[in-house]
Amino acid sequence: LIQELIERLLQEAANEATQKGWCDKAMSDATQKRDYAAEEIATLNEEMAELEARRDSLREALAELEKDIAELTEARAKAEQERSEEKAEHQATVEEAQAGLDALSMCIDILDK
C-alpha cells in the first residue's frame, strides 16, 4: 500500500514536472512572440510616422505648386491681353502707314503727270 502511494506520488511529481516544463516552454514562447510583436509594432509605428511626415511635406509641396500654377495662369492671361492690345495698336499703325504710302504714291503719280 505504501509502495503504491509512493509510486502514485512519484507519477504525480513526474506529471507535474512535465506540465511545469510545458507551461514554462509555453510561457517562454508567448513572451518571445509578444516581444517580437512589440518590436514589429514599434517598427511599423516609426515607418508610419515617417510616411505621415512625407505625406504632409508632399501636401505642402502640392499646395505650393497649385499656388504657382494659379499665379502663372494669371500672368499668362495678363500677357495675352497685353499682346492682344499691342497687336491691335500695331495693326492700326500698319493700316495708317499703308494709307500714308497709298497717299504718297497717288501724289507721286499726280506730280509725274
Side-chain angles (χ1 to χ4, degrees):
L1 180 65
I2 292 178
Q3 184 63 28
E4 288 177 17
L5 286 173
I6 291 174
E7 286 177 12
R8 193 175 77 186
L9 287 174
L10 288 174
Q11 183 62 35
E12 286 178 6
N15 289 343
E16 282 185 24
T18 303
Q19 186 176 2
K20 182 176 182 333
W22 180 84
C23 286
D24 289 344
K25 183 178 181 321
M27 182 66 107
S28 174
D29 289 346
T31 302
Q32 189 176 25
K33 285 180 183 178
R34 182 199 63 205
D35 292 344
Y36 287 147
E39 288 176 16
E40 187 173 347
I41 288 172
T43 301
L44 291 174
N45 282 338
E46 289 175 15
E47 185 179 338
M48 186 172 68
E50 290 173 6
L51 291 173
E52 286 175 347
R54 183 169 182 229
R55 179 200 62 202
D56 293 342
S57 69
L58 289 174
R59 280 185 179 166
E60 289 175 11
L62 182 61
E64 186 67 31
L65 290 173
E66 287 174 346
K67 178 183 167 196
D68 291 345
I69 287 171
E71 290 174 358
L72 289 172
T73 302
E74 183 179 329
R76 179 179 175 205
K78 184 178 178 183
E80 286 177 352
Q81 178 65 31
E82 289 174 359
R83 297 309 169 265
S84 177
E85 291 171 1
E86 289 174 0
K87 181 180 177 184
E89 288 177 23
H90 290 299
Q91 186 65 30
T93 302
V94 168
E95 289 173 2
E96 189 177 306
Q98 186 63 43
L101 180 62
D102 291 342
L104 281 175
S105 293
M106 193 186 326
C107 287
I108 291 173
D109 285 344
I110 292 174
L111 290 176
D112 283 343
K113 292 181 182 180

